[in-house]
């Protein structure tokens, strides 16, 4: 097993992934053996076990695969509720969970959305762990 | 290879209680050892299923509960896997007996969920989800399962009314279970008109927050016979971990549960059709539908018919009865204890101790216990009577 030198600049680590996301780049791992897309990237493919994982930019466009609305939020997000959350199937094949900037009643399975990124708000920084403080937050916008 | 059996079971009251976790355990232990020598004269190792240190600011439950049982210098540890912790503890005990390391192992579970109200439980449970993406998006346990439910209703003929009927069925079962947190019948309207939690799931689609402890004594068949105890064989045990993030999994084919069940069937030398009763992880109504399919009881897309009598269900369904205890929904779901409460129900059903809720002729039971959302981790056990083929 060889992975080379994983450090915090490598997008197969969370700091590396979120640094790229802060610049508007959504990076995915792509297994060179079976093609599985891994969001966020990581050193090994869960589908086939291979460690031959490339890191490639992913389309930020996708469609809603499933969605709901959170009425009973964790305390950290109480001020935001109710809010819409979805699993989105991205155009390059990966799936990612995130908030949707739309009312629940205005969303349907199959709707087109685009991933956008913002700097963490003061409230989001408040509940972040030290190492997460500057990580951007993603949200899907209807298209 | 020694054959592991369950030789005794016990539980505390379930729901909002005035006892801390260790005391709930003491109550469960007293029941389990009511007709046995003291734990110190019998138990060789202890496993404790426990979800979260946030409820009581306490880890080290292995040490703590072994001590409270009067045991010293035995191996004892907490087992963690969110709501699957209880069945993971049982699985460790089963393996210790099976491999000959111990003759008697205590598998127990405890959770003091009401210590910080509903928001405290919501926060503690959200720790089961991927921190980087899911938690930072504000996801909760009900909303995770709502994503599965929304997709299930989209892909199948199931309706919110069907999911409500599952809750109604499980409350009716709980009404005959003196251990249940909610031993009362409800109607479909009550479910459909209850508060939205995460659509399509409503309050009455969700298992309750509650305290509880359970204790299960796993021994060799010989020791259980020497002790004069009714025994239930643990004929199969399987476990599977799947992706932590729900987005990366198949959301309607619960593969981890399928593999855990199939592994347990294979070890037991049976197939799904041989199972008479099943305690599945109905933390939310949709789970019972999904797990009926994953366990091989129902053809894909028909698991939601679990509330119907066997004669009414689609072709290809087995005759299994699901959640005779009332399930997590109405029996109760004190997270770390739940997998052991499932084993307790099967023990009582298979030893003729289930009273008014006894399923006549039941000889074989499947238990499916999940942790995280759906099959992030799943544990399956097949329990049978000593006489079962």
């Amino acid at each position: 097993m060889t992975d080379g030198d994983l450090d915090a600049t490598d997008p197969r680590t969370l700091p590396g992934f979120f640094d790229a996301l802060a610049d508007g780049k959504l990076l995915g791992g792509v297994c060179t053996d079976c093609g599985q897309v891994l969001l966020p990237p990581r050193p090994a493919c869960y589908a086939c076990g291979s460690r031959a994982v490339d890191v490639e930019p992913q389309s930020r466009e996708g469609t809603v695969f499933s969605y709901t609305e959170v009425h009973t939020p964790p305390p950290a997000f109480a001020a935001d509720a109710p809010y819409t959350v979805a699993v989105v199937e991205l155009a390059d094949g990966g799936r990612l969970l995130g908030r949707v900037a739309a009312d629940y009643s205005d969303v349907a399975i199959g709707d087109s959305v685009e991933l956008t990124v913002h700097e963490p708000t003061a409230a989001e920084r408040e509940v972040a762990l030290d190492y997460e403080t500057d990580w951007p937050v993603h949200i899907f916008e209807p298209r | 290879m020694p054959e592991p059996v369950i030789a005794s079971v016990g539980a505390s009251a379930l729901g909002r209680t005035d006892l801390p976790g260790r005391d709930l355990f003491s109550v469960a232990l007293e029941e389990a050892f009511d007709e046995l020598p003291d734990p110190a004269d019998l138990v060789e190792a202890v496993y404790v299923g426990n979800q979260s240190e946030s409820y009581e600011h306490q880890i080290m439950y292995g040490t703590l509960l072994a001590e409270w049982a009067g045991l010293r210098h035995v191996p004892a540890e907490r087992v963690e896997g969110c709501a699957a912790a209880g069945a993971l503890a049982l699985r460790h005990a089963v393996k210790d007996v099976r491999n000959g390391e111990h003759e008697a192992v205590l598998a127990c579970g405890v959770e003091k969920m009401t210590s910080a109200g509903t928001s405290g439980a919501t926060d503690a449970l959200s720790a089961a989800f991927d921190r980087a993406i899911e938690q930072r998006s504000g996801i909760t346990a009900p909303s995770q399962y709502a994503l599965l439910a929304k997709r299930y209703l989209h892909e199948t003929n199931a309706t919110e009314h069907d999911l409500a009927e599952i809750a109604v069925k499980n409350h009716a079962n709980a009404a005959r279970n003196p251990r249940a947190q909610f031993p009362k019948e409800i109607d479909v309207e009550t479910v459909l008109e209850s508060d939205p939690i995460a659509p399509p799931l409503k309050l009455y689609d969700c298992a309750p927050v509650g305290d509880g402890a359970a204790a299960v004594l796993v021994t060799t068949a010989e020791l259980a016979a020497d002790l004069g105890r009714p025994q239930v064989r643990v004929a199969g045990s399987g476990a599977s971990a799947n992706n932590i993030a729900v987005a990366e999994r198949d959301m309607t084919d619960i593969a981890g549960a399928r593999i855990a069940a199939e592994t347990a069937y294979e070890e037991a030398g049976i197939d799904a059709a041989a199972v008479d009763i099943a305690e599945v992880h109905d933390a939310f109504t949709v789970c019972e539908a999904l797990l009926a399919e994953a366990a091989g009881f129902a053809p894909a897309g028909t698991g939601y018919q679990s509330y119907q009598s066997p004669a009414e269900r689609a072709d290809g369904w087995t005759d299994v009865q699901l959640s005779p205890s009332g399930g997590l929904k109405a029996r109760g779901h004190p997270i770390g204890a739940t997998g052991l409460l499932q084993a307790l129900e099967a023990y009582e059903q298979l030893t003729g101790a289930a009273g008014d809720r006894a399923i006549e002729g039941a000889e074989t039971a499947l238990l499916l216990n999940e942790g995280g959302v759906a099959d992030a981790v799943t544990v399956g056990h097949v329990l049978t009577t000593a006489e079962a083929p």
Side-chain angles (χ1 to χ4, degrees), chain B residues 179-231:
Chain B
R179 298 183 187 273
Q181 181 171 346
F182 292 129
K184 62 167 188 183
E185 302 207 15
I186 58 170
D187 58 24
V188 169
E189 288 66 35
T190 300
V191 183
L192 292 175
E193 291 165 12
S194 61
D195 289 343
I197 300 295
L201 300 179
K202 296 161 284 289
L203 181 64
Y204 274 85
D205 286 295
C206 308
V209 167
D211 307 334
V216 171
L217 180 65
V218 180
T219 70
T220 60
E222 292 73 19
L223 180 55
D226 289 348
L227 294 166
R229 293 294 302 161
Q231 53 182 273

Side-chain angles (χ1 to χ4, degrees), chain A residues 102-117:
Chain A
D103 288 345
Y104 175 77
S105 57
D106 294 334
V107 178
I109 288 175
D111 280 3
S112 294
V113 293
E114 180 168 9
L115 182 140
T116 65
V117 175

Side-chain angles (χ1 to χ4, degrees), chain A residues 14 17-18 37-40 42 46 64-75 77 83 85-87 95-99 104 109 127-129 131-132 135-138, chain B residues 119-120 122-123 126 130-140 142-144 146-151 154-155 196-201 242-243 245-251:
Chain A
L14 291 175
F17 169 75
F18 282 111
V37 176
L38 312 163
L39 288 174
R42 65 208 70 168
Y46 64 79
V64 172
F65 186 76
S66 192
Y67 68 104
T68 186
E69 179 178 53
V70 177
H71 287 259
T72 54
F77 301 105
Y83 48 87
V85 174
V87 169
R95 286 209 304 235
L96 191 67
L97 182 143
R99 291 229 204 149
Y104 175 77
I109 288 175
V127 298
L129 302 170
Y131 66 79
E132 299 170 335
W135 288 2
V137 176
H138 71 281
Chain B
S119 73
T122 300
D123 196 43
S126 72
D130 166 64
R131 172 73 187 175
I133 301 290
E134 294 183 322
Q135 287 187 41
R136 295 173 73 243
S137 297
I139 203 75
T140 59
S143 53
Q144 288 273 33
L147 292 168
L148 302 186
K150 189 84 183 175
R151 194 68 207 173
H154 178 74
E155 291 182 14
I197 300 295
L201 300 179
N242 202 350
N243 303 69
V246 74
E248 296 201 306
R249 287 185 248 146
D250 191 316
M251 290 169 62

